[in-house]
Amino acid sequence: MSEALTPETPEAVLDEAADEAGEEEPIKQRKNGLYPGVSDELAASMKSGWADTELRDLTPIAQAGHTAARRAALSARFPGERLVIPAGNLKTRSNDTEYPFRASVEYAYLTGNLTEDGVLVLEPAAEGHKATIYLLPRSNRENGEFWLSGQGELWVGRRHSLAEAEQLYGIPASDVRELPAALKEATGPVRVVRGYDAAIEAALTDKVTREHDDELRVFLSEARLVKDEFEAGELQKAVDSTVRGFEDVVKVLDKAEATSERFIEGTFFLRARVEGNDIGYGSICASGPHACTLHWVRNDGPVRSGDLLLLDAGVETHTLYTADVTRTLPVNGTYTEIQRKIYDAVYDAQEAGIAAVRPGAKYRDFHDAAQRVLAERLVGWGLLEGPVERVLELGLQRRWTLHGTGHMLGMDVHDCAAARTETYVEGTLEPGMCLTVEPGLYFQADDLTVPEEYRGIGVRIEDDLLVTEDGNRNLSAGLPRRSDEVEAWMASLKG
């Protein structure tokens, strides 16, 4: 990274430029830069000699029709109210570097736009609402912003113009810098999605209530429970890339043994960045006893032949839909007798869970079916005293199963999290819902209640299921699950 990451200009020059452009604040500069100022000749040079790069006749984004339908549903739910949905802002990682930006799910779901500082506003109209997307326009060339500001075009890349944005997203676009002042003057009922843009919330501080805003967030969370055709296609893309990422990992397990779990993490990340936007969550690359830590994301441990590798990872598409898949693999390609015994129990539990995923079934059914199988095995192995009904009633199996057997999946890895309990956990499955089925057994290395041969073994198998009209479709069926099929698959990749 260049030492002169952010260009420098004396405050007097920037103040003058800001005044000429009618801005309230000068362009922020970094302290201790190498250039003492900007000559008049350089300033004049930078204003001229640039080609017209405006993009015309753009094709709307693939999901434009779907986002319009989602906005219409939102409008119908809150008639006569102003609705404000921010994308969020850049967050500082350290000093003058930022984390990669990811738009809020609510904003991306309703617009398809993924840029920082954007805000969708639905203004009440005679019939429904008028939608406007507020964005940062292209960086200013007259006041030097495009090359003097650390967020200028020559530093971080070109933004779409407002006219281009209108073509892409099918929504009238305006300058977001004018929005806070306009919102301060707004009258009538207003709701905002909180937690993403402090400036927008401050402009509405005397106009909104936590209770009403929570209702907006809950509605947008529940709206995502059933995926449309576009979303189902994006989830399949995410899973397909994830399958290839798992194949990449198996091919380099020898290099992971020579280094650490980090090699696995980096290998999968490469696939995610080449074919998608990012990983959908921190990859869990847990070898040996680390597999018993549910969210092991340090990924700094050794990878040893004879141990199991629990790989829980997912590619996120460019439209922010993520896969969430887990396989537990023998590092050397062959399960030991005790590893296979535990693995096959989890496989049987997952089979029972998957069979319970169908329209009209209760959401909890797949969890209950998988937990019953695991409880039966634990009783059969002598680790728990039966009967099984008693074990399940008291939740005794949870010492070794620990977590729920799945969750909704979509633009968040744990999607629809703000939905009401009665529509999610206590709800009924419908075609278009997408969820994970992921039972596991985890015998901690220091668990003295189990025989020594069990200790330090953790197994989870996770697949992504789309509820269909007549049952379900396993989006991640491209990855083998049965223990003998896993071994044959690994052998073919290593061969």
Side-chain angles (χ1 to χ4, degrees):
M1 180 175 286
S2 168
E3 187 277 332
L5 174 63
T6 304
E8 309 83 8
T9 306
E11 289 188 5
V13 175
L14 293 168
D15 284 334
E16 182 179 352
D19 290 342
E20 290 176 0
E23 298 176 356
E24 295 181 358
E25 296 182 2
I27 299 169
K28 184 178 181 181
Q29 299 299 294
R30 192 179 69 183
K31 188 178 180 181
N32 294 321
L34 295 176
Y35 287 105
V38 175
S39 68
D40 292 342
E41 290 79 4
L42 177 57
S45 171
M46 293 300 288
K47 287 184 181 182
S48 61
W50 304 101
D52 178 10
T53 59
E54 182 74 8
L55 303 176
R56 299 172 177 85
D57 300 320
L58 292 172
T59 301
I61 59 173
Q63 67 267 44
H66 294 287
T67 56
R70 297 165 194 168
R71 294 193 298 274
L74 176 60
S75 172
R77 171 61 179 82
F78 298 104
E81 300 186 52
R82 180 178 284 102
L83 308 173
V84 183
I85 302 94
N89 317 121
L90 288 172
K91 289 183 171 59
T92 299
R93 180 179 183 272
S94 178
N95 188 27
D96 57 357
T97 61
E98 292 85 21
Y99 288 103
F101 179 74
R102 189 185 191 275
S104 75
V105 165
E106 294 86 354
Y107 175 85
Y109 178 74
L110 293 168
T111 67
N113 176 261
L114 304 178
T115 56
E116 66 268 18
D117 300 327
V119 183
L120 174 68
V121 178
L122 271 61
E123 296 277 354
E127 294 185 6
H129 288 78
K130 175 190 175 184
T132 303
I133 188 170
Y134 288 86
L135 302 166
L136 285 172
R138 290 191 63 187
S139 50
N140 193 313
R141 290 181 182 260
E142 287 302 308
N143 73 351
E145 176 195 356
F146 79 110
W147 72 287
L148 293 173
S149 168
Q151 293 301 318
E153 187 170 301
L154 297 193
W155 290 91
V156 297
R158 183 189 189 277
R159 294 191 288 266
H160 282 296
S161 70
L162 298 181
E164 292 168 354
E166 290 186 2
Q167 296 177 67
L168 289 169
Y169 307 111
I171 314 171
S174 293
D175 190 335
V176 71
R177 294 172 296 187
E178 301 169 359
L179 182 59
L183 290 177
K184 287 181 180 179
E185 302 301 320
T187 58
V190 184
R191 297 178 193 255
V192 63
V193 178
R194 295 176 182 242
Y196 297 119
D197 194 317
I200 295 300
E201 290 183 37
L204 294 170
T205 186
D206 61 339
K207 308 176 193 300
V208 295
T209 66
R210 171 71 68 177
E211 180 182 2
H212 285 180
D213 293 346
D214 286 348
E215 289 176 356
L216 173 59
R217 184 185 289 275
V218 167
F219 174 82
L220 290 173
S221 192
E222 293 183 359
R224 303 199 308 277
L225 282 168
V226 176
K227 271 59 181 179
D228 57 38
E229 182 182 358
F230 175 83
E231 293 179 290
E234 290 300 294
L235 285 164
Q236 186 66 70
K237 286 182 188 177
V239 170
D240 290 346
S241 288
T242 298
V243 168
R244 290 187 284 273
F246 275 67
E247 292 171 348
D248 296 339
V249 167
V250 171
K251 292 175 182 178
V252 299
L253 280 177
D254 57 333
K255 295 182 175 61
E257 288 187 64
T259 53
S260 74
E261 295 163 338
R262 292 280 170 92
F263 202 95
I264 296 166
E265 178 182 354
T267 298
F268 187 85
F269 181 70
L270 177 61
R271 178 66 65 173
R273 287 294 282 165
V274 167
E275 295 191 1
N277 175 60
D278 206 332
I279 49 175
Y281 53 96
S283 298
I284 299 168
C285 308
S287 182
H290 289 162
C292 299
T293 301
L294 297 185
H295 288 168
W296 176 261
V297 293
R298 299 180 201 172
N299 299 334
D300 58 359
V303 178
R304 298 188 178 98
S305 179
D307 282 347
L308 294 177
L309 167 67
L310 190 157
L311 177 58
D312 184 337
V315 173
E316 177 185 82
T317 67
H318 294 291
T319 55
L320 307 189
Y321 289 85
T322 185
D324 182 9
V325 178
T326 306
R327 291 292 184 270
T328 306
L329 312 172
V331 173
N332 63 11
T334 303
Y335 295 100
T336 66
E337 183 179 351
I338 185 64
Q339 289 170 351
R340 190 184 305 275
K341 173 183 174 180
I342 295 169
Y343 184 95
D344 288 349
V346 174
Y347 171 81
D348 290 344
Q350 194 199 28
E351 282 282 276
I354 290 174
V357 175
R358 57 185 180 272
K362 291 295 185 183
Y363 173 81
R364 301 183 62 96
D365 287 353
F366 76 95
H367 168 73
D368 293 341
Q371 289 292 301
R372 175 171 292 277
V373 172
L374 294 178
E376 289 171 350
R377 296 303 168 86
L378 291 167
V379 170
W381 296 341
L383 302 183
L384 285 173
E385 181 181 347
V388 170
E389 293 298 339
R390 167 184 170 272
V391 170
L392 292 170
E393 180 182 354
L394 298 176
L396 301 180
Q397 83 283 359
R398 293 181 61 187
R399 179 182 178 100
W400 301 291
T401 67
L402 294 174
H403 55 78
T405 311
H407 52 80
M408 291 295 180
L409 183 69
M411 298 181 86
D412 281 327
V413 65
H414 298 133
D415 207 30
C416 313
R420 292 168 295 172
T421 300
E422 57 265 33
T423 60
Y424 189 156
V425 174
E426 303 299 338
T428 301
L429 295 180
E430 301 177 37
M433 289 183 170
C434 188
L435 62 146
T436 68
V437 178
E438 51 174 313
L441 282 173
Y442 312 92
F443 298 100
Q444 305 297 328
D446 59 350
D447 188 348
L448 301 181
T449 69
V450 300
E452 187 174 357
E453 62 178 351
Y454 286 78
R455 297 173 198 167
I457 296 177
V459 173
R460 180 163 66 251
I461 313 172
E462 177 180 21
D463 285 85
D464 301 342
L465 280 292
L466 181 70
V467 182
T468 60
E469 295 290 343
D470 58 356
N472 67 69
R473 175 159 58 95
N474 186 347
L475 301 180
S476 44
L479 278 179
R481 293 186 296 121
R482 211 173 63 198
S483 57
D484 59 334
E485 293 175 344
V486 169
E487 290 174 332
W489 169 72
M490 293 182 68
S492 70
L493 291 172
K494 289 185 176 182

